[in-house]
Amino acid sequence: MRYDVIVVGAGMVGTSIAWHLQKNGSKVLLLDKKLPGSETSYGNAGLIQREAVHTHPFPRQVSQIFRVLPNQGTDIRYRLPALFRYSQALLQYWKYSTPQSVAKIEKEWQTLIEHCTREHQVMIEASGADNLISRDGWLQLHRSEDTLKAAIEAAVRDQEVGVEHKVVSLDELKALEPNANFDDFVGGIHWLNSWQVSNPSALVKAYAKSFEDIGGTLLTLDVTHLEQFEGGWQVTTDGGEQFNADDLVVAAGPWSNHLIKPLGYDLPLFPMRGYHQHFIINHKNSIHHSMFDMDKGFVMGPFQQGIRITTGAEMTLMDAPKNFGQLETVLRYARRILPLDEAVESEAWAGSRPCMPDMKPVIGAANKHEHLWFAFGHSHQGFTLGPVTGRIMEELIHKKPVLVDVKPFNADRFGN
Ligand SMILES: Cc1cc2nc3c(=O)[nH]c(=O)nc-3n(C[C@H](O)[C@H](O)[C@H](O)COP(=O)(O)OP(=O)(O)OC[C@H]3O[C@@H](n4cnc5c(N)ncnc54)[C@H](O)[C@@H]3O)c2cc1C
């Protein structure tokens, strides 16, 4: 059977693209080797981050480099094999992280972020998933007056780009979260127009169900080969099944390069791993808001599965064994905030953020083949940006006027 479009990857990004295309008249096949939202879009911190108007540059100041070098920090750790494997991408990341470059990148990035809640809302309504969403914002906690002061100054500036906040004292934090112990903190920021999702995987599954309800086809198959074929594309799976379409979208998150390298693309996509573990919720540790310990770099949030503790980043190979050091360190800090007695799983989850050196996703046409499209590399905010990416891809493929200028997100910006 021939489809109009095949989308490979049913994470938040691919599912949103498939939904938008199907909704606007294309006959779409969505393929994933697992159920929708089972990988990175399962394990994240569940925040739809309207406040995320800044990117995550590579440390360039000497003081920052000395802080990171011992590799014992809670927010970021580097493993040697990954440093060698991704040295070129990291060098580019370092180059893109000058203040001038970051200022330009953030302007482009904000053209996506500004639409994030509105575009999620369209899909939440269509899929009847409102029960998974809390619109009370989330809390950023600070342990030092210096970091809090700098964060408040930035938050005031960010009002200009639509980010709403309230500075919260310790008393106000306590009123918002009576079960939490804020003894180690000096205050925080309540991000007011960001949303929190109680089960990120369930939200992707709801969007995928809505895609099927409007006639889309979803199949659980491992894609092994992509080939241009008779004016369109042929996709082959590990079981030998073949599917044809006019257009092909690769939205396979951190695995995207595996699929497109045989076609001659070598984009500097690299993984940044994160871990999470759930703890059983009881009357002494229940909380209403996700809380981000800014100085120690971890998030604790109320999820359907329990209190989810998510770590910062570990630069490691995709298939490297799990290293629980970073999670164990943050758990010591987390347990001072809330009693986390009983873990839900015996082993923590790990998954990789798909990152690009210039901190922007790749969204748009592939530059060496007709009717081939890329949508990956959303790094720390792919869960937030899935629906807006879906809308943009639909507009591009259907040759409509596009919501944002997509030039900054082109695949050919790295020169191959
Ligand atoms: C710890 C952590 C916390 C995070 N917190 C947040 C947050 O609060 N907010 C936010 O916005 N973002 C957050 N992120 C980032 C976000 O989760 C990712 O950017 C986003 O999930 C990426 O979505 P995706 O659809 O591109 O990739 P994925 O969700 O990984 O989906 C890719 C899909 O492709 C499929 N696939 C791959 N290869 C093949 C193949 N050969 N055949 C078939 N299928 C294939 C995979 O099975 C997978 O389902 C966090 C990430 C981590 C790790």
Side-chain angles (χ1 to χ4, degrees):
M1 175 161 180
R2 193 175 173 100
Y3 293 88
D4 294 328
V5 188
I6 296 176
V7 179
V8 181
M12 179 54 92
V13 174
T15 303
S16 301
I17 296 168
W19 186 88
H20 272 278
L21 285 164
Q22 183 73 34
K23 181 118 184 61
N24 286 280
S26 282
K27 191 164 63 170
V28 181
L29 170 63
L30 175 60
L31 291 171
D32 199 300
K33 58 187 168 190
K34 296 188 172 176
L35 291 176
S38 295
E39 292 285 359
T40 332
S41 299
Y42 160 78
N44 54 66
L47 298 172
I48 297 176
Q49 293 184 263
R50 180 61 185 86
E51 89 301 332
V53 292
H54 300 290
T55 55
H56 297 259
F58 197 87
R60 284 183 66 102
Q61 286 171 358
V62 178
S63 60
Q64 287 174 318
I65 293 170
F66 275 112
R67 186 184 67 76
V68 169
L69 266 185
N71 225 10
Q72 294 302 316
T74 44
D75 52 347
I76 175 96
R77 292 191 186 183
Y78 293 91
R79 308 288 170 213
L80 267 185
L83 289 181
F84 288 121
R85 168 72 183 75
Y86 298 108
S87 56
Q88 290 302 317
L90 283 177
L91 186 63
Q92 291 187 49
Y93 185 14
W94 186 78
K95 285 186 183 163
Y96 280 114
S97 296
T98 62
Q100 301 85 326
S101 172
V102 169
K104 178 174 179 292
I105 287 166
E106 287 186 348
K107 277 211 166 62
E108 295 161 349
W109 168 256
Q110 286 163 14
T111 63
L112 300 176
I113 284 288
E114 70 175 297
H115 303 289
C116 68
T117 46
R118 199 169 46 241
E119 291 304 323
H120 263 286
Q121 183 60 28
V122 172
M123 294 187 68
I124 289 165
E125 271 172 34
S127 57
D130 210 59
N131 61 319
L132 298 169
I133 315 296
S134 150
R135 295 180 178 78
D136 292 340
W138 60 273
L139 302 170
Q140 178 173 310
L141 309 178
H142 286 268
R143 290 168 183 264
S144 91
E145 295 289 356
D146 286 351
T147 64
L148 178 59
K149 185 167 171 276
I152 294 171
E153 284 167 8
V156 170
R157 284 194 299 273
D158 292 347
Q159 286 172 332
E160 282 172 24
V161 286
V163 177
E164 295 168 16
H165 78 278
K166 179 177 186 298
V167 177
V168 274
S169 66
L170 288 180
D171 285 344
E172 287 166 321
L173 282 172
K174 197 72 195 163
L176 287 167
E177 293 300 345
N179 278 332
N181 165 23
F182 295 110
D183 284 355
D184 295 335
F185 297 93
V186 295
I189 295 178
H190 187 176
W191 297 110
L192 298 171
N193 56 347
S194 295
W195 298 351
Q196 187 180 306
V197 179
S198 60
N199 186 335
S201 175
L203 187 63
V204 181
K205 286 183 171 64
Y207 291 173
K209 163 97 175 38
S210 171
F211 161 74
E212 287 186 286
D213 289 346
I214 54 176
T217 306
L218 168 69
L219 295 175
T220 308
L221 292 168
D222 191 347
V223 173
T224 51
H225 189 66
L226 310 175
E227 195 177 345
Q228 217 164 14
F229 183 75
E230 287 179 0
W233 284 89
Q234 184 168 76
V235 170
T236 308
T237 71
D238 63 346
E241 296 95 333
Q242 291 187 320
F243 303 95
N244 295 336
D246 297 340
D247 286 271
L248 172 64
V249 180
V250 177
W255 294 274
S256 298
N257 259 353
H258 300 322
L259 288 164
I260 62 173
K261 266 195 177 160
L263 295 170
Y265 297 90
D266 191 12
L267 291 169
L269 179 70
F270 62 94
M272 276 285 188
R273 189 181 274 184
Y275 295 81
H276 83 222
Q277 191 154 26
H278 296 110
F279 293 84
I280 290 175
I281 298 178
N282 57 43
H283 68 282
K284 285 189 283 180
N285 69 9
S286 64
I287 48 174
H288 308 286
H289 302 85
S290 278
M291 297 188 281
F292 180 22
D293 183 334
M294 199 59 191
D295 300 287
K296 299 296 174 193
F298 68 92
V299 182
M300 53 202 319
F303 281 68
Q304 286 181 351
Q305 297 96 326
I307 305 282
R308 180 180 286 191
I309 309 294
T310 40
T311 66
E314 179 191 38
M315 176 148 210
T316 192
L317 297 177
M318 291 277 288
D319 54 0
K322 291 180 186 176
N323 181 328
F324 299 109
Q326 204 175 2
L327 179 66
E328 281 161 9
T329 310
V330 301
L331 281 177
R332 285 207 296 276
Y333 292 109
R335 286 196 167 102
R336 279 186 55 83
I337 305 172
L338 284 180
L340 301 170
D341 300 326
E342 221 180 317
V344 173
E345 306 92 354
S346 54
E347 186 176 301
W349 172 90
S352 295
R353 302 167 181 90
C355 298
M356 301 301 294
D358 62 353
M359 297 160 272
K360 294 180 295 184
V362 176
I363 303 174
N367 48 318
K368 294 181 184 174
H369 296 82
E370 296 279 302
H371 300 285
L372 176 63
W373 306 87
F374 295 154
F376 51 78
H378 294 69
S379 62
H380 297 257
Q381 270 86 35
F383 190 70
T384 298
L385 293 178
V388 63
T389 304
R391 173 168 170 181
I392 291 168
M393 291 295 287
E394 185 272 321
E395 291 168 345
L396 284 169
I397 293 173
H398 288 162
K399 298 189 170 56
K400 294 177 176 173
V402 183
L403 179 68
V404 306
D405 175 13
V406 287
K407 270 200 297 304
F409 311 106
N410 275 352
D412 61 2
R413 65 189 194 261
F414 298 102
N416 75 53

